Amino acid sequence: AQSVTQLGSHVSVSEGALVLLRCNYSSSVPPYLFWYVQYPNQGLQLLLKYTTGATLVKGINGFEAEFKKSETSFHLTKPSAHMSDAAEYFCAVTAGTASKLTFGTGTRLQVTL
Amino acid sequence: GAGVSQSPSNKVTEKGKDVELRCDPISGHTALYWYRQSLGQGLEFLIYFQGNSAPDKSGLPSDRFSAERTGGSVSTLTIQRTQQEDSAVYLCASSYGLLESGETQYFGPGTRLLVL
């Protein structure tokens, strides 16, 4: 079985501050990990993914995430938050032959002036 | 190019009625997935298709839910005798290949279903 835990359902940062959204996974086989962003009344947009190879993954809009097997983590970061980053962020995992994504409960990011 | 499209974007129905939700995947994508997003349950997998076959329908909540895919393209999710707990956003996604091959799922905008 595979699962994802996102710590913090709401995160608030000031514009220009570091963004850190936490994700821990559980999987009995090597996982593939994803971060998606959802703006109000829209579908999910892929920010970045880790499958194999380099553990530091860069995505769109200046986001990046690092796969740390020893910590079973895949935290999402961005050096400097913009107002436009305010949205809900979902971490997801797939592993083995699951052929489906298992999502975390989401983290709503608020960016303040 | 065109992304995943879903129709209708919003649907309001009365309890006990049947509804059909449609998904048009990205052209050439062989895999198609349905998820449900609700306040109480978060994002849940419902079913996926490889071509016209559904190898995994384990997420369908009850036998009131069914889905089909024709021509390796359009998919329809049908909910019979709708209940208020069916109210949710139904998301469709497609991918060129399967997730275990490292493929990416691309999501549509969703259909917001409200059962009165």
Side-chain angles (χ1 to χ4, degrees), chain A residues 4-102:
Chain A
V4 165
T5 301
Q6 290 184 242
L7 295 176
S9 58
H10 290 83
V11 170
S12 181
V13 300
S14 300
E15 190 174 35
L18 171 72
V19 176
L20 170 61
L21 304 182
R22 298 178 186 274
C23 172
N24 287 88
Y25 70 90
S26 174
S27 174
S28 57
V29 297
Y32 292 169
L33 294 157
F34 304 78
W35 275 100
Y36 282 87
V37 61
Q38 187 176 37
Y39 297 100
N41 298 317
Q42 295 187 26
L44 300 170
Q45 180 183 9
L46 180 72
L47 281 175
L48 49 80
K49 68 178 182 181
Y50 168 79
T51 53
T52 58
T55 56
L56 181 62
V57 180
K58 295 187 184 298
I60 62 171
N61 301 339
F63 284 94
E64 63 182 38
E66 186 170 10
F67 171 64
K68 292 188 176 180
K69 183 179 178 181
S70 61
E71 299 177 9
T72 61
S73 69
F74 191 58
H75 302 331
L76 182 71
T77 61
K78 181 174 180 178
S80 176
H82 295 162
M83 296 297 289
S84 60
D85 295 327
E88 187 145 24
Y89 293 78
F90 292 93
C91 183
V93 63
T94 189
T97 58
S99 275
K100 62 185 176 185
L101 290 175
T102 299

Side-chain angles (χ1 to χ4, degrees), chain A residues 32 34 36 38 40-44 46 49 51 88 90 94 96-101 103-104, chain B residues 33 35 37 43 45 48 56 58 91 98-110 112:
Chain A
Y32 292 169
F34 304 78
Y36 282 87
Q38 187 176 37
N41 298 317
Q42 295 187 26
L44 300 170
L46 180 72
K49 68 178 182 181
T51 53
E88 187 145 24
F90 292 93
T94 189
T97 58
S99 275
K100 62 185 176 185
L101 290 175
F103 286 89
Chain B
Y33 310 78
Y35 293 86
Q37 185 174 25
L43 272 157
F45 166 80
Y48 94 91
D56 187 353
S58 62
L91 293 166
L98 295 177
L99 282 178
E100 57 258 43
S101 301
E103 296 290 340
T104 296
Q105 288 186 4
Y106 296 90
F107 283 80
R112 284 155 187 77

